[in-house]
Amino acid sequence: MQTTNPFDDDKLREECGVFGVSATDGAAALVALGLHALQHRGQEAAGITTFDGANFHTHRAMGHVAGNFDRDDVIRALPGTVACGHVRYSTTGETALRNVQPLYAELSTGGFAIAHNGNISNAMRLRRELVRRGSIFQSTSDTETIIHLVATSNYRTLLDRFIDALKQIEGAYSLIVMTPEGMIACRDPLGIRPLVMGKLGDAVIFASETVALDVVGATFVRAIEPGELVIVQGSEIRSIRPFAPMAARPCIFEWVYFSRPDSIVDDHSIYSVRKAIGAQLAIESPVDADLVIPVPDSGTPAAIGYAQQSGIPFELGIIRSHYVGRTFISPGDKVRHLGVKLKHNANRALIKGKRVILVDDSIVRGTTSLKIVEMMREAGAAEVHMRIASPPTRHSCFYGVDTPEREKLLAAKLDLGGMTGFIHADSLAFISIDGLYKALGEAKRADVRPKYCDACFTGDYPTTLTDHDEGSEVDQFAMLAERVI
């Protein structure tokens, strides 16, 4: 089975989105709508857990939200006024139903359901210690580590046990937790992964992005702050901050690629920021050409910004079909190769004889960019120039992004000239790290700690990486084969 999308195979993938609602009738149906809006954050599997005041109910399934949670029988089997959901994209680890979230366990304090966006960078060490102490894991997910830490904590109350567990983990996490006592939403002390709060009447809603609030008709209240826990019990909402204050380091790739363009992150319009990135890219790396063409769909806002700044016309030189399934069964290499054009095809009449600038959000392995450039040349482009709306991706991510091993990252292996030759472009340029910060209205200075986590570009990881540091990078990715988000 082969993907028909030649552009999605070579992207960094955000591995999950979370959505939770407290105190409303039909909570499961509302969560299903919210997960639809977050489908771009995880397309491999989805799950919803509800609580009806006495019992927890869970439905988890492989595949998209649509087809799994748009059935009346499924929603009817998820009664309750409190619910949380999760969409998932796994890392290099196992793809299996047992890893689909929310994860659920019966603890001494009652039922405990958890949905997690992020990655625990010391999960393997914690897992080994917990197994030695007698814990029996039911999944290969690092999220399950949190459940066992809560279960084995010596603190008395569930909230104190949960805080005790969080203080033992490293890395990135935005969590929604359901217990018989209520719902808890929290972010890691650096705020690496996003989480926002909204209101819909008396209902309190938590989501990975504001767009999910928009879709269900909720009003955005505020972002959950880094290191903050928000506890909802009935109509009572309270906030605690059990961690020492730290300078936040949210993931900069939320603005570059992960979030939907119609979301707002930390008071920034994603769409406006991406246009600003494209404009800055045009300032830094101009080229004499006839057309600016976005690589659909993630490159579109940056391409608009590039075109507006440069004065070069913006055109849709690559046409995407929205009516093709995700896979294509091919009996041979020839038909498989032709299958990639089912979703994206060059606008030949527009491109022939033109000097084109292709704008994309990133280059990972480089295989996608090579396909795109070849597509343009086959359509008769006179010149093909590639402009990338992020700096070169030279380092792996350990915070909830599916990044290849470093030796598979094109920018980690080749210099700019080598990369240009690899993708067969006439020229290639990336926005500078300083330019990226400038587009976000910030200044990146060597003597000041950066405002964002930009480790995939700079190698400046904001936390310790225990599992990685205890072995080589190769060993780390071998361990990752046993864990998923």
Side-chain angles (χ1 to χ4, degrees):
M1 203 170 279
Q2 181 75 17
T3 179
T4 59
N5 189 341
F7 305 150
D8 288 350
D9 289 345
D10 191 28
K11 295 287 187 184
L12 298 179
R13 297 185 190 265
E14 238 291 7
E15 283 140 354
C16 35
V18 296
F19 188 96
V21 58
S22 180
T24 188
D25 293 331
L30 199 65
V31 170
L33 286 174
L35 293 182
H36 272 287
L38 299 173
Q39 187 73 84
H40 60 287
R41 300 186 74 91
Q43 300 181 41
E44 187 176 81
I48 295 176
T49 297
T50 63
F51 181 62
D52 63 8
N55 299 300
F56 286 83
H57 310 270
T58 296
H59 183 79
R60 302 181 296 165
M62 306 304 295
H64 286 188
V65 178
N68 285 311
F69 291 97
D70 54 1
R71 294 163 37 201
D72 289 341
D73 60 324
V74 171
I75 297 301
R76 283 197 301 268
L78 294 169
T81 60
V82 182
C84 69
H86 188 271
V87 287
R88 172 180 179 269
Y89 183 87
S90 71
T91 65
T92 53
E94 180 186 30
T95 298
L97 189 60
R98 63 176 175 161
N99 290 318
V100 180
Q101 298 185 29
L103 297 182
Y104 176 78
E106 288 283 349
L107 307 183
S108 61
T109 53
F112 186 93
I114 184 169
H116 173 204
N117 173 208
N119 196 73
I120 300 171
S121 58
N122 64 335
M124 295 307 298
R125 173 189 272 188
L126 291 171
R127 185 183 180 110
R128 288 193 295 267
E129 293 172 354
L130 287 162
V131 169
R132 279 198 295 266
R133 287 157 46 190
S135 291
I136 301 172
F137 281 73
Q138 301 299 312
S139 75
T140 57
S141 170
D142 61 341
T143 309
E144 191 180 355
T145 303
I146 300 173
I147 296 176
H148 288 277
L149 290 173
V150 173
T152 58
S153 173
N154 292 321
Y155 283 86
R156 187 177 62 85
T157 70
L158 178 62
L159 181 59
D160 287 338
R161 290 183 175 196
F162 182 56
I163 293 171
D164 180 40
L166 295 182
K167 288 185 175 180
Q168 297 178 63
I169 64 178
E170 302 169 356
Y173 55 84
S174 285
L175 302 171
I176 297 177
V177 171
M178 289 170 51
T179 77
E181 299 175 14
M183 178 172 284
I184 305 171
C186 67
R187 289 174 79 188
D188 66 80
L190 291 172
I192 297 174
R193 303 260 69 87
L195 191 63
V196 298
M197 179 169 64
K199 291 292 293 292
L200 181 62
D202 294 330
V204 179
I205 297 177
F206 301 102
S208 292
E209 293 184 39
T210 61
V211 67
L213 302 179
D214 297 337
V215 166
V216 301
T219 301
F220 171 72
V221 175
R222 63 179 179 87
I224 305 304
E225 296 179 5
E228 180 186 19
L229 278 70
V230 177
I231 302 107
V232 182
Q233 294 174 300
S235 60
E236 180 187 358
I237 304 172
R238 60 192 177 100
S239 170
I240 60 174
R241 293 170 174 78
F243 304 100
M246 302 177 68
R249 295 282 297 277
C251 174
I252 203 167
F253 235 98
E254 291 289 344
W255 286 269
V256 173
Y257 173 61
F258 294 144
S259 294
R260 263 180 48 164
D262 44 345
S263 280
I264 307 292
V265 178
D266 290 346
D267 298 324
H268 290 293
S269 159
I270 295 296
Y271 180 77
S272 296
V273 167
R274 288 178 187 166
K275 282 181 63 179
I277 292 172
Q280 181 64 28
L281 183 57
I283 293 170
E284 292 183 357
S285 302
V287 62
D288 191 16
D290 303 306
L291 302 174
V292 175
I293 295 173
V295 176
D297 287 316
S298 59
T300 300
I304 293 172
Y306 192 103
Q308 290 176 348
Q309 177 65 40
S310 66
I312 300 171
F314 170 92
E315 295 286 356
L316 296 179
I318 301 172
I319 305 302
R320 177 180 179 181
S321 170
H322 294 270
Y323 306 102
V324 180
R326 296 183 67 208
T327 56
F328 178 73
I329 301 173
S330 167
D333 289 340
K334 182 177 180 181
V335 176
R336 184 182 299 118
H337 176 72
L338 293 175
V340 302
K341 294 186 177 181
L342 288 175
K343 269 198 175 180
H344 295 86
N345 192 41
N347 191 347
R348 187 176 296 271
L350 178 73
I351 292 167
K352 187 174 182 180
K354 299 294 196 307
R355 300 167 298 168
V356 303
I357 302 170
L358 293 167
V359 179
D360 203 357
D361 59 88
S362 61
I363 289 182
V364 183
R365 295 179 179 87
T367 53
T368 291
S369 300
L370 174 60
K371 291 176 184 177
I372 299 168
V373 172
E374 289 177 343
M375 182 183 291
M376 294 295 100
R377 295 206 186 280
E378 289 172 1
E383 297 176 8
V384 183
H385 305 273
M386 180 73 78
R387 295 295 180 266
I388 305 299
S390 64
T393 303
R394 293 192 172 100
H395 303 272
S396 298
C397 176
F398 300 97
Y399 301 122
V401 179
D402 182 30
T403 316
E405 299 91 324
R406 192 178 181 209
E407 60 267 22
K408 293 182 180 178
L409 295 171
L410 191 68
K413 299 185 296 183
L414 301 173
D415 61 12
L416 184 62
M419 287 189 283
T420 305
F422 179 87
I423 67 172
H424 298 171
D426 290 286
S427 74
L428 169 66
F430 298 80
I431 193 170
S432 67
I433 188 69
D434 291 337
L436 181 56
Y437 272 76
K438 186 174 181 179
L440 280 159
E442 305 288 341
K444 182 172 176 62
R445 292 167 41 196
D447 59 335
V448 177
R449 191 181 191 196
K451 184 175 178 178
Y452 302 101
C453 177
D454 54 20
C456 52
F457 308 134
T458 65
D460 178 14
Y461 295 99
T463 74
T464 52
L465 301 172
T466 296
D467 290 342
H468 174 270
D469 294 342
E470 287 182 347
S472 68
E473 187 165 310
V474 173
D475 291 338
Q476 167 67 359
F477 277 93
M479 288 190 289
L480 281 173
E482 295 298 323
R483 103 199 215 198
V484 293
I485 298 297

